Amino acid sequence: KAGVTQTPRYLIKTRGQQVTLSCSPISGHRSVSWYQQTPGQGLQFLFEYFSETQRNKGNFPGRFSGRQFSNSRSEMNVSTLELGDSALYLCASSLQGTSYNEQFFGPGTRLTVL
Amino acid sequence: AQRVTQPEKLLSVFKGAPVELKCNYSYSGSPELFWYVQYSRQRLQLLLRHISRESIKGFTADLNKGETSFHLKKPFAQEEDSAMYYCALSSSGAGSYQLTFGKGTKLSVIP
């Protein structure tokens, strides 16, 4: 079974631009979560989608948004990029999105904002 | 609000020595705790969860609600255990759950 895939793997943007990151979950998984990883703050939860609905959102500004499609693929968007948005963005998928289901992580997208 | 604290950024032990990676948590509800591991150039992956009460790769972790701790232990460290270890706590909201991670401990096993 193929693992979670994320595209692109690396991205360089400038301040003020917007960016869209993509995540394809493991086949059959309906829950997709997104995390931001930085050296200072570590891994922080962004949001979680299940069956095209956002069920939970972390403490991030409205510039961070996401969506999930009917095939469970998910995208996250960051508008008006700031230098502090430079981070590794991780996507994770699980069957039903409960604590009984293991979360499988993707390799991440490394975003650099100049 | 929930919080996970891993007091050691880096832990170095000799091969064959016991290992203990510390994790303390703060959570008002009934916690569900996990250990994730990231080996060099690999993805973050689940190592073990407290509800399973299992031993994975020789590692065990016991939830101590009195001390709000979930320390990861292994009696004899191996070189292949060198990795980044993250303790995580799950909280449920609106039918989903999110993981709150500690900042991680880098374990280095010296041959």
Side-chain angles (χ1 to χ4, degrees):
Chain A
K1 194 184 269 191
V4 177
T5 58
Q6 292 186 245
T7 56
R9 294 293 310 280
Y10 302 91
L11 208 47
I12 299 175
K13 292 285 188 180
T14 56
R15 277 180 299 173
Q17 287 186 310
Q18 75 165 26
V19 68
T20 299
L21 312 181
S22 180
C23 171
S24 293
I26 291 172
S27 177
H29 285 194
R30 297 170 65 189
S31 168
V32 173
S33 298
W34 289 88
Y35 295 85
Q36 182 196 64
Q37 186 175 27
T38 59
Q41 298 300 317
L43 279 152
Q44 293 185 285
F45 173 78
L46 279 157
F47 28 65
E48 188 252 359
Y49 287 87
F50 181 82
S51 292
E52 302 179 66
T53 300
Q54 184 184 91
R55 293 197 299 188
N56 208 358
K57 190 177 194 304
N59 190 24
F60 278 83
R63 300 185 296 107
F64 291 82
S65 63
R67 59 177 175 169
Q68 186 181 33
F69 301 95
S70 57
N71 61 358
S72 294
R73 190 177 70 84
S74 177
E75 289 181 347
M76 68 162 280
N77 185 275
V78 187
S79 62
T80 319
L81 284 166
E82 300 178 0
L83 295 178
D85 297 333
S86 294
L88 182 67
Y89 290 88
L90 293 173
C91 160
S93 76
S94 68
L95 271 172
Q96 299 288 341
T98 74
S99 57
Y100 296 102
N101 302 143
E102 181 176 347
Q103 281 200 328
F104 293 85
F105 283 81
T109 293
R110 172 75 62 186
L111 172 65
T112 302
V113 182
L114 302 176
Chain B
Q2 59 267 25
R3 179 176 290 181
V4 176
T5 303
Q6 294 179 250
E8 303 135 330
K9 278 188 176 179
L10 174 65
L11 182 65
S12 296
V13 300
F14 286 100
K15 178 182 173 181
V19 176
E20 183 178 47
L21 299 169
K22 292 185 174 9
C23 172
N24 289 91
Y25 67 90
S26 170
Y27 184 55
S28 56
S30 183
E32 295 184 51
L33 287 147
F34 307 80
W35 277 97
Y36 279 79
V37 62
Q38 188 166 29
Y39 300 102
S40 179
R41 287 188 287 276
Q42 292 189 27
R43 305 176 182 203
L44 193 62
Q45 58 185 283
L46 178 66
L47 179 61
L48 54 80
R49 64 188 90 184
H50 93 271
I51 56 173
S52 300
R53 302 185 67 82
E54 57 194 347
S55 172
I56 303 292
K57 298 184 179 182
F59 284 98
T60 59
D62 290 317
L63 178 61
N64 186 322
K65 291 186 179 181
E67 296 183 359
T68 60
S69 68
F70 187 56
H71 302 328
L72 183 67
K73 299 178 184 179
K74 184 170 182 176
F76 308 104
Q78 302 299 315
E79 289 180 65
E80 55 265 30
D81 297 329
S82 295
M84 196 73 186
Y85 291 81
Y86 295 93
C87 181
L89 179 151
S90 77
S91 57
S92 299
S96 76
Y97 86 104
Q98 67 181 69
L99 290 173
T100 299
F101 284 90
K103 294 201 174 176
T105 297
K106 184 174 182 178
L107 175 64
S108 178
V109 180
I110 305 163

